[in-house]
Amino acid sequence: MWTYDRRLQYPVKIACPNAETAKIIISQYGGPDGELGASMRYLSQRYAMPVREAAGLLTDIGTEELAHFEMIAAMVHQLTRNLTVEQIKEQGFAPYFVDHTLGIYPVAASGPAWTANYFQSKGDPITDLSEDMAAEQKARTTYDNILRLVDDPDVREPIMFLREREIVHFQRFGEAMRMVTDKLDSKNVYAFNPAFDGGKK
Amino acid sequence: MSERQRLLHKVCVAGFAVDEAVLFLDTHPCDKEALTYYEKARDEKNQLVQQYVEQYGPLSADEVFSEECWAWTSAPWPWEWEA
């Protein structure tokens, strides 16, 4: 189960609303490498982890990603507050506005709604942890791209925090991968799938 | 930034230290230095949370001490500009 802490993991306080920026940022809410997909990926994959430490890591990072999901929503919410219809039109927000007004909905910056097709849960720890490491790098690239596009320090600071978290998570997943392979046949770690063929510890 | 916001910021900083220590310990479960760091970070966070709750209200639904009205929903939510 989960409980809610009434605070953000890192503060979001954006003085100047800007729908154009909101349109970019929202990709980390519901885009292909966003925080929703990250959380769902890790929280779904943990059941097939034969190593307890890796299952724990997926639980804790999956939980942290939900906090990031909330931070991104807070950013989009604050970037779109008090907008006039004129500003919505001028700042290119009309296509989102027509479908969702100023409500928060998980979509990619390029338009498509979030889908579970953005991640896998393959039931093989080496495969899943490889995807997780790639996912962290893809999210890091997305944050790098956001930092190339956005000048406002109120937006950049929480984005830089989130970018840094991707790098730390990548490191931790690499360590978890090592913990998994250390418990397999060192001559051929692919000899069997410990989540299916036995060898559970 | 108000006094309340300043204290909430301290809670977030202390909370982050705990979050980070937890992930590190997940993959380094017997690292003595990390275990000591975790305990210190957790105690600091708990102390700040307690101080915040006593002064400004609940940060979780089991910290609500309301005599007349349900205080959980009356303050700004964390995503609001006012929070």
Side-chain angles (χ1 to χ4, degrees):
Chain A
M1 73 159 286
W2 272 263
T3 53
Y4 184 66
D5 273 4
R6 201 191 176 101
R7 60 184 178 85
L8 299 180
Q9 194 191 21
Y10 185 98
V12 171
K13 198 94 175 143
I14 300 170
C16 302
N18 183 329
E20 209 179 341
T21 301
K23 220 181 133 185
I24 294 164
I25 301 288
I26 204 163
S27 228
Q28 280 305 88
Y29 193 72
D33 304 308
E35 303 291 353
L36 176 60
S39 182
M40 296 304 103
R41 174 185 298 112
Y42 307 147
L43 294 178
S44 298
Q45 289 177 352
R46 62 189 175 140
Y47 302 95
M49 277 296 146
V51 175
R52 290 242 165 80
E53 291 88 340
L57 185 69
L58 286 165
T59 303
D60 294 333
I61 296 184
T63 301
E64 185 179 339
E65 305 294 12
L66 281 179
H68 298 171
F69 182 60
E70 183 185 37
M71 278 176 64
I72 296 290
M75 295 177 83
V76 174
H77 176 68
Q78 292 183 22
L79 282 165
T80 55
R81 75 187 193 282
N82 306 326
L83 287 179
T84 65
V85 170
E86 273 317 303
Q87 288 168 322
I88 285 165
K89 286 201 280 192
E90 282 164 14
Q91 296 172 17
F93 205 63
Y96 180 92
F97 177 83
V98 72
D99 289 334
H100 311 292
T101 324
L102 298 181
I104 303 291
Y105 185 75
V107 293
S110 49
W114 186 83
T115 160
N117 294 328
Y118 289 152
F119 74 90
Q120 247 295 19
S121 179
K122 198 71 180 175
D124 178 314
I126 293 179
T127 309
D128 283 344
L129 287 167
S130 300
E131 166 163 329
D132 301 344
M133 292 173 73
E136 295 295 334
Q137 291 299 347
K138 288 189 279 182
R140 194 262 310 155
T141 304
T142 309
Y143 285 124
D144 279 337
N145 290 342
I146 289 171
L147 291 169
R148 288 185 179 101
L149 295 165
V150 178
D151 294 326
D152 183 352
D154 288 354
V155 176
R156 290 177 66 89
E157 278 170 28
I159 292 293
M160 284 190 279
F161 168 83
L162 292 168
R163 176 189 176 277
E164 190 64 32
R165 298 311 291 154
E166 309 301 342
I167 295 167
V168 171
H169 293 172
F170 174 79
Q171 172 73 22
R172 295 285 95 84
F173 281 131
E175 291 156 1
M177 174 76 95
R178 172 57 67 91
M179 292 174 118
V180 168
T181 53
D182 277 353
K183 291 188 177 174
L184 295 169
D185 182 343
S186 60
K187 286 189 183 139
N188 179 11
V189 294
Y190 307 114
F192 63 94
N193 173 359
F196 185 72
D197 300 310
K200 266 198 172 223
K201 292 221 166 68
Chain B
M1 202 186 266
S2 67
E3 280 306 309
R4 183 190 62 78
Q5 286 168 331
R6 231 184 293 276
L7 183 55
L8 185 61
H9 191 82
K10 282 186 184 172
V11 171
C12 290
V13 171
F16 176 65
V18 176
D19 295 343
E20 180 70 325
V22 166
L23 297 192
F24 184 85
L25 281 163
D26 284 346
T27 55
H28 305 77
C30 301
D31 186 310
K32 292 276 177 297
E33 203 184 328
L35 285 166
T36 308
Y37 179 90
Y38 165 76
E39 282 184 22
K40 189 168 165 279
R42 179 201 55 199
D43 292 349
E44 271 176 27
K45 179 201 162 187
N46 288 345
Q47 207 181 341
L48 285 163
V49 167
Q50 197 188 340
Q51 196 186 335
Y52 185 95
V53 171
E54 280 167 10
Q55 287 181 30
Y56 301 111
L59 286 172
S60 74
D62 57 8
E63 293 162 348
V64 181
F65 302 101
S66 304
E67 292 187 351
E68 294 189 2
C69 289
W70 178 237
W72 179 238
T73 52
S74 57
W77 289 102
W79 56 86
E80 291 179 72
W81 163 253
E82 297 79 10

